[in-house]
Amino acid sequence: MAPNRIIIDTDPGVDDVLAMLLAFSAKSEELEVLMLSLTFGNVEVQNCLRNVVTLFHHIEKERAWRKENGRPEGFEALMAHKPIVAVGAEEPLAEHMMVADFFHGVDGLGGIHSSHPHLSPSETWKSLFLPAPENLSAEEVAELQRVEDAHSLFTPSLKPAHEEMLQILRDNEPDTITIVAVGPLTNLAIAAAKDPEAFLRVKEVLVMGGAVDSPGNMTPGAEFNTYADSVAAARVYALTSPNPKTTMPPSIPGGKKKNGQLGAYPEGLSRRLTVKLFPLDITNRHTLPQSLFSTYTSTTPLPTSPLVQWTSLFLTSTYRKISSLSPSPPSSEDDKEEEEPPSLQLHDPLPIYYAMTAASSSSSSATTQWQFSPPEDLRVETAGQWTRGCCVVDRRGRSAHNVSEGDLSEEVVGDAGGWRDARRGNRVVRALESPDQEGFGGLLLERVFGGL
């Protein structure tokens, strides 16, 4: 079976790091990770970059530890293909920038770079993402080579992430590359605006984002990634429509000039984009309880694992944060029940797991496999005072009307917004069920840290 070849577009905070660890721990026949495309989101983008470099640093230490302890070194997918790392969007297309450092910590990993600086690699790695100075001495050339050798698990790029993304899509046959987007969709929106036909060569885009029937986690109705750049999400979803201009977001006054106001897509695009959405409705149900993580990682010899020691620090901080954000327990001793240990919702690892298992799942005879909705006209609110980033689906149960082809100014009577016009609207598919909902936390631990 050929591996699913993917680009991961990410804003590395806690669950993003777990998602990347899961991807790199995949079997070589399951995944080939071509690129990590970085965006702002959970924290600003340079902190995201530091978290990625630190991740590779600890994978390298982990593989050495496993070899010394006679354990399989693992990380097959990473060893089979060295991914490009490219830095992308620093801010949303048009809106006020919001980050989730209140949850993930100021550095995206619970403040670990300040609290445990000895676990972060020397910042000489920053030179990898800067143009090489001219007229270097032999000693300086040797030092640059030493830095490259110390970070040999990835290929640093000096190009913006959206340019690297487009180049990969141009260099490969259509429908052979999947983008797994687990942060705000800014990089994807910029790539699609710059060269929509190249972007549409993608096989599918798997998006962790949105809340449809579930409450939001940023506002009552909006999930963080979609809220952080609602305009980008609306622009990407518009490419699933037969006529993208029918769901394009309105021009926002004061939109940022360097990223915003990207303009309409050309008429007559050659194909539609396939988007599979993994909203809070399904990701909330996939969790890693603190009790399970503690029990698993306390079993010999894992307490001495460099990767366990690193992840334990930021996950412990995250579990504390989850507990602090949970509703206070009842004040009455009679009503007070024993508190359950906190659980981390595995939002970002879930679409990675789908990318790993989609091919085998579709051919399996197991009763419960991945289940998706039919294509839905799901749109993103970009202009509401209280509803920025909310997902809107028509719940009225009306059938679509086939209006004559051509002039889209011809509307169905009483159909504000074109919800009943078959020529208009998005076509987004939404994940409803997964094969491993109950055991996903344990499965992730086994994949990342190795079976005991």
Side-chain angles (χ1 to χ4, degrees), residues 317-334:
S317 172
T318 304
Y319 286 125
R320 280 199 303 268
K321 175 58 69 173
I322 293 169
S323 295
S324 73
L325 295 174
S326 299
S328 300
S331 56
S332 168
E333 292 297 324
D334 294 335

Side-chain angles (χ1 to χ4, degrees), residues 398-448:
R398 300 176 177 181
S399 60
H401 288 248
N402 284 311
V403 185
S404 60
E405 295 295 327
D407 185 6
L408 288 170
S409 64
E410 179 188 355
E411 297 183 358
V412 176
V413 175
D415 180 30
W419 294 91
R420 299 177 64 197
D421 185 340
R423 303 168 303 168
R424 302 171 187 264
N426 295 333
R427 308 289 189 269
V428 176
V429 174
R430 180 161 52 100
L432 303 175
E433 299 290 341
S434 80
D436 296 290
Q437 178 176 313
E438 296 300 322
F440 186 52
L443 184 151
L444 182 143
L445 293 175
E446 290 182 10
R447 286 282 196 148
V448 171

Side-chain angles (χ1 to χ4, degrees), residues 10-23 41-43 47-48 51-52 55 100-113 182-183 208 224-225 288 293 307 310-322 343-350 352 444 448-449:
T10 176
D11 57 335
V14 173
D15 55 328
D16 302 73
V17 167
L18 294 179
M20 287 184 285
L21 283 170
L22 180 61
N42 290 317
V43 287
N47 269 322
C48 292
N51 292 342
V52 164
L55 168 63
D101 55 1
F102 68 91
F103 181 83
H104 292 268
V106 294
D107 61 4
L109 294 178
I112 193 172
H113 293 289
V182 295
M208 190 283 117
F224 173 77
N225 287 340
L288 177 59
F293 177 78
L307 191 59
W310 181 59
T311 55
S312 293
L313 286 169
F314 65 75
L315 283 175
T316 298
S317 172
T318 304
Y319 286 125
R320 280 199 303 268
K321 175 58 69 173
I322 293 169
S343 289
L344 174 68
Q345 292 161 326
L346 298 172
H347 304 297
D348 294 344
L350 192 62
I352 292 290
L444 182 143
V448 171
F449 298 111

Side-chain angles (χ1 to χ4, degrees), residues 102-126:
F102 68 91
F103 181 83
H104 292 268
V106 294
D107 61 4
L109 294 178
I112 193 172
H113 293 289
S114 298
S115 63
H116 296 77
H118 62 286
L119 295 180
S120 302
S122 165
E123 293 196 351
T124 54
W125 60 263
K126 291 183 176 180

Side-chain angles (χ1 to χ4, degrees), residues 185 207-217 219-230 233-234 237 275-281 376-384 386-395 419 426 428-430:
L185 296 182
V207 176
M208 190 283 117
V212 181
D213 296 316
S214 169
N217 62 2
T219 69
E223 173 274 334
F224 173 77
N225 287 340
T226 311
Y227 180 89
D229 198 339
S230 64
Y237 296 172
V275 170
K276 291 181 177 175
L277 188 66
F278 294 76
L280 295 182
D281 308 58
E376 297 176 314
D377 186 0
L378 185 149
R379 309 186 194 182
V380 175
E381 176 58 65
T382 62
W386 309 117
T387 55
R388 165 181 163 184
C390 287
C391 293
V392 181
V393 179
D394 192 344
R395 305 180 188 280
W419 294 91
N426 295 333
V428 176
V429 174
R430 180 161 52 100

Side-chain angles (χ1 to χ4, degrees), residues 209-350:
V212 181
D213 296 316
S214 169
N217 62 2
M218 189 64 183
T219 69
E223 173 274 334
F224 173 77
N225 287 340
T226 311
Y227 180 89
D229 198 339
S230 64
V231 172
R235 289 185 64 95
V236 171
Y237 296 172
L239 286 170
T240 69
S241 172
N243 290 284
K245 67 181 180 181
T246 65
T247 62
M248 282 281 282
S251 176
I252 296 180
K256 297 181 178 67
K257 296 301 181 184
K258 64 179 178 180
N259 278 347
Q261 310 300 312
L262 297 178
Y265 296 121
E267 297 282 352
L269 291 170
S270 63
R271 56 192 295 181
R272 297 208 306 263
L273 181 67
T274 298
V275 170
K276 291 181 177 175
L277 188 66
F278 294 76
L280 295 182
D281 308 58
I282 185 170
T283 62
N284 279 342
R285 307 199 304 262
H286 296 74
T287 64
L288 177 59
Q290 183 175 23
S291 55
L292 176 61
F293 177 78
S294 299
T295 299
Y296 190 92
T297 55
S298 63
T299 306
T300 304
L302 290 187
T304 60
S305 151
L307 191 59
V308 166
Q309 292 173 353
W310 181 59
T311 55
S312 293
L313 286 169
F314 65 75
L315 283 175
T316 298
S317 172
T318 304
Y319 286 125
R320 280 199 303 268
K321 175 58 69 173
I322 293 169
S323 295
S324 73
L325 295 174
S326 299
S328 300
S331 56
S332 168
E333 292 297 324
D334 294 335
D335 297 333
K336 191 171 183 178
E337 299 179 0
E338 185 177 349
E339 291 183 54
E340 292 187 5
S343 289
L344 174 68
Q345 292 161 326
L346 298 172
H347 304 297
D348 294 344
L350 192 62

